[in-house]
């Protein structure tokens, strides 16, 4: 699931006619190894590299009004973010705010990056600033809700994710993230709500199967097998694997199987779909699990010393 659609106000004029056609073999056939569907990581799109180069040229040399410059910096930051160049993206988002202090989208991205760095207080400030500027910005509620979820403030996370959900209740991803916030407080009630919310979804969509997995209506192996079916392109496969393995990891984590969860988070990261929520938070989830393991080891060591 992408966090937010790209604006890229000049992208069409930047990339059109700037490069000759390339012949690309689109291998959408999945590879199955030890009952796990795998793929090659997502390749960097040459159009993205070209667009960044053109945006950099315009930003550096063109005489632009402050608001237009801020928009171009934001667009380049979004492209850096999609390539996993988070530090460069962060610099552009902050520079965009220097030229346009009421830029809600820039605050939203800064909040995401601060969440991934574990700087929750600063992240909440960024999200709050975005909502002060644009109270109807849906994706701020999603991203602040996710940050609150990881910070352990699920009651507040539920409020944000409920706001995000009601804007489009037929979106499975909104249903899923609302469930993640609710299940921490009331597992039985959250499952009942998930059953009802699932009844409002299109059962033929790929993402509906994630809901079915969480409800226990699909086995782990069936879910994995289905990730490689009805594909239109190799990119669709890679994006589906990024999502699927992340939610499989969350499913295994809820069952107490931390080692399996770690491996699924690693598989999600291996897709290199940097712009997806699932890719970003796989790293955060893994870091949390590593910290738990370190703490357990330290406790064992301390216990042995006292004995």
């Amino acid at each position: 699931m992408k966090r937010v659609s790209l604006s890229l106000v000049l992208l069409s004029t930047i990339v059109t006619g700037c490069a000759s056609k390339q012949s690309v073999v689109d291998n959408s056939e999945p590879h199955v190894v030890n009952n796990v569907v795998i793929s090659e990581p997502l390749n960097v799109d040459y159009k993205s590299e070209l667009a960044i180069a053109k945006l950099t040229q315009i930003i550096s040399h063109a005489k632009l009004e402050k608001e237009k410059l801020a928009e171009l910096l934001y667009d380049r930051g979004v492209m850096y973010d999609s390539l996993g160049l988070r530090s460069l993206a962060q610099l552009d988002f902050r520079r965009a705010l220097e030229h346009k202090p009421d830029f809600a989208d820039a605050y939203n991205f800064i909040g995401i990056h601060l969440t991934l760095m574990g700087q929750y207080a600063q992240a909440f400030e960024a999200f709050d600033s975005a909502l002060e500027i644009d109270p109807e910005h849906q994706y701020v509620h999603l991203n602040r809700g996710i940050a609150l979820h990881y910070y352990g403030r699920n009651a507040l996370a539920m409020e944000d994710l409920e706001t995000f959900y009601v804007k489009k209740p037929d979106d499975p991803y909104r249903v899923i993230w609302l469930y993640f916030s609710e299940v921490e407080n009331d597992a039985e009630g959250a499952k009942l709500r998930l059953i009802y919310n699932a009844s409002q979804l299109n059962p033929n969509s790929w993402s509906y199967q994630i809901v079915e997995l969480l409800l226990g209506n699909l086995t782990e192996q069936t879910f994995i097998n289905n990730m490689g079916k009805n594909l239109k392109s190799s990119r669709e496969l890679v994006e589906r694997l990024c999502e699927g393995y992340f939610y499989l990891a969350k499913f295994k984590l809820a069952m107490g199987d931390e080692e399996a969860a770690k491996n699924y988070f690693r598989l999600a990261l291996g897709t290199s779909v940097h712009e997806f929520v699932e890719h970003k938070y796989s790293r955060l989830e893994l870091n949390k699990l590593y910290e738990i393991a370190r703490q357990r080891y330290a406790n064992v060591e301390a216990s042995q010393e006292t004995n």
Side-chain angles (χ1 to χ4, degrees):
M1 177 178 64
K2 293 184 179 179
R3 292 178 314 281
V4 59
S5 59
L6 313 186
S7 61
L8 302 179
V9 291
L10 295 182
L11 181 56
S12 59
T13 57
I14 288 172
V15 301
T16 301
C18 293
S20 61
K21 278 190 175 181
Q22 293 186 351
S23 177
V24 179
V25 177
D26 189 14
N27 181 15
S28 59
E29 289 297 317
H31 305 284
V32 181
V33 179
N34 295 329
N35 296 321
V36 175
V37 180
I38 61 173
S39 69
E40 295 179 5
L42 195 66
N43 291 325
V44 175
D45 187 348
Y46 78 95
K47 290 182 179 179
S48 297
E49 295 179 316
L50 184 62
I52 287 174
K54 290 293 184 180
L55 282 169
T56 300
Q57 186 177 28
I58 295 170
I59 290 167
S60 300
H61 301 292
K63 293 183 178 180
L64 303 168
E65 295 180 357
K66 283 191 172 184
E67 184 163 335
K68 180 60 68 177
L69 178 58
E71 290 175 356
L72 293 180
L73 285 164
Y74 171 80
D75 288 343
R76 189 176 66 175
V78 171
M79 301 200 75
Y80 278 141
D81 182 81
S82 73
L83 299 177
L85 302 173
R86 202 167 66 197
S87 296
L88 292 174
Q90 187 79 202
L91 286 172
D92 272 354
F93 295 141
R94 293 188 180 279
R95 285 184 63 196
L97 285 174
E98 292 175 5
H99 298 287
K100 185 180 177 184
D102 61 343
F103 207 156
D105 285 336
Y107 275 118
N108 180 45
F109 263 103
I110 288 171
I112 293 167
H113 289 171
L114 290 169
T115 299
L116 295 170
M117 295 165 64
Q119 298 179 10
Y120 291 102
Q122 297 94 319
F124 297 142
E125 288 179 5
F127 291 135
D128 291 346
S129 295
L131 286 174
E132 286 177 10
I133 296 165
D134 182 4
E136 299 302 316
H137 197 304
Q138 294 184 45
Y139 284 93
V140 178
H141 286 289
L142 166 66
N143 294 313
R144 188 174 68 177
I146 292 174
L148 288 163
H149 168 69
Y150 283 117
Y151 193 52
R153 300 293 189 270
N154 280 296
L156 293 173
M158 286 166 57
E159 293 181 14
D160 268 335
L161 294 169
E162 176 76 22
T163 299
F164 184 61
Y165 163 74
V166 297
K167 297 289 186 181
K168 194 176 181 183
D170 61 347
D171 179 357
Y173 299 103
R174 298 178 190 232
V175 169
I176 291 164
W177 279 100
L178 178 59
Y179 169 74
F180 286 157
S181 68
E182 292 178 334
V183 75
E184 298 287 338
N185 290 348
D186 179 7
E188 185 176 349
K191 186 169 184 178
L192 290 172
R193 178 86 185 275
L194 183 59
I195 292 171
Y196 172 78
N197 289 343
S199 70
Q200 313 301 305
L201 304 176
N202 177 7
N204 297 318
S205 67
W206 140 250
S207 47
Y208 180 80
Q209 296 185 55
I210 302 170
V211 178
E212 288 283 271
L213 173 74
L214 297 175
L215 286 172
N217 297 335
L218 278 182
T219 66
E220 179 180 349
Q221 192 58 54
T222 299
F223 179 79
I224 291 173
N225 294 342
N226 289 348
M227 288 196 291
K229 295 179 179 178
N230 302 318
L231 297 161
K232 297 178 181 177
S233 67
S234 58
R235 183 180 182 93
E236 184 180 9
L237 170 62
V238 178
E239 292 180 350
R240 186 179 291 185
L241 294 181
C242 179
E243 294 175 345
Y245 284 131
F246 174 84
Y247 294 113
L248 255 176
K250 294 285 282 184
F251 175 70
K252 298 299 283 186
L253 204 54
M255 296 172 62
D257 192 344
E258 293 181 2
E259 291 308 310
K262 287 178 186 176
N263 287 332
Y264 283 134
F265 284 132
R266 290 171 184 137
L267 284 168
L269 284 171
T271 62
S272 296
V273 189
H274 296 283
E275 69 265 37
F276 273 29
V277 165
E278 294 82 4
H279 186 278
K280 290 186 173 298
Y281 291 108
S282 286
R283 174 62 65 192
L284 190 151
E285 292 273 7
L286 273 174
N287 289 339
K288 286 179 62 180
L289 289 171
Y290 294 150
E291 182 57 37
I292 290 169
R294 282 192 292 269
Q295 189 59 52
R296 285 175 182 159
Y297 180 78
N299 291 341
V300 170
E301 289 285 294
S303 177
Q304 290 176 345
E305 289 179 4
T306 58
N307 293 333

